[in-house]
Amino acid sequence: MIVMKFGGTSVGTPARMKSVAALTTRSGEPTFVVLSAMSGTTNTLIEISDYLYKKNPDGANEVINMLEKKYMQHVEELFSTEEWREKTRGFLAEEFDYLRSFTKDLFTSFEEKSIVAQGEIISTNMMANYMHEQGIDATLLSALDFMRTDKNAEPDPQYIKDKLTAILNEQEGHQIYITQGFICRNAYGEVDNLQRGGSDYTASLIGAAIGAEEIQIWTDIDGMHNNDPRIVDDTEAVRQLNFEEAAELAYFGAKILHPTCIQPAKYAGIPVRLLNTMQPDAEGTIVDNVIMRGQIKAVAAKDNIIAIKIKSSRMLLATGFLRKVFEIFESYQTPIDMVCTSEVGVSVTIDNDAHLTAIVNELKKYGTVTVDTHMCIICVVGDLDWSNLGFETLATDAMKDIPVRMISYGGSNYNISFLVKEQDKKRALQNLSAKLF
């Protein structure tokens, strides 16, 4: 069985929904389909929640009414028979009455998660109804029946596998199985979501649970490109990436894939293919465990980086210094991206400034602290094992006329990273493309 995930833009209009239905059935094989909410819906549901947090039910109702009107228009365009239009209108009326019910009671983060979950519930029900109208043998499975996180808010793979296997045994023999991406229940049975990676994460977890042949992530881009096509001309899709390479690119700025979402597929040894719903016959990018030796694959950039330098002569030969520094970042739940050390100092980068002031104040107990903002990490990914003579030189040579604040090399066999000012990002990406590709 293949798992196919379609993002919000892929199901963003009735015409796109029809295209998705055609794509899921063209192989003729049993297929598991994971859908996001229609593009823009989740943001609108968050806006509704914001009005309710601010105790403005009239504002919330106005937005709910606008969203309902939009969906009722989608019904007219999506369905060709009055029977299925009427069924879907009835479903939507219940959905929007459910959203209105939140305007009458106390509103907390628990209620917000229930509201936000409705985007995926609406899109999957509409898709299932459309497939039934077209005579496609499709069944709708609720992700809330099998997708669960544990007490650490991490997915519970054994629970997911057991529940999903039992459900599929009961629903054996269908051509298409449809479910919602992003949403789940937490360890206490409450409606929640997977946060990082969203629907991609759902597809990867399902693929691992059912032992899928392949997991396909369908977006509006032809695979992972070797540089940012918004900044660099004539970029090309990378046809193959190792899981480690894809994770590095995703973490350091390639928006097409979230680094967390491919972990279940990686551990299960299931290839992930990135495809384009607008060009369904394009080859796309396959991500698997194969390592292609001697190749630099791609460049990515991560913006809004903050560099923090702690300098202290007391650090010299002092055991425990780095531990104390890292514990400060841990206490404020702020991950570190890059690390460089010297005899009397350490520099780190972060991409979250929520606790920056408090972190700097804590670090000042151990040395002189300087902060550089508006920085950017440029990441070069490929077979960068240290035994490959000259590979790191190619990358550094491309950066020879750009001021580099930090370089990270050797922490991974697949990555060399440069920290530069955001204003130098465009020139750095263009230089690297010209030199490497």
Side-chain angles (χ1 to χ4, degrees), residues 237-249:
V238 182
R239 295 309 174 197
Q240 187 274 344
L241 287 168
N242 177 267
F243 277 114
E244 298 287 351
E245 294 169 339
E248 296 280 7
L249 284 170

Side-chain angles (χ1 to χ4, degrees), residues 63-75 96 100:
V63 179
I64 291 169
N65 293 340
M66 288 170 58
L67 188 61
E68 182 177 26
K69 184 178 177 182
K70 177 182 174 181
Y71 271 100
M72 290 301 182
Q73 182 58 44
H74 287 332
V75 170
F96 285 99
R100 290 185 188 95

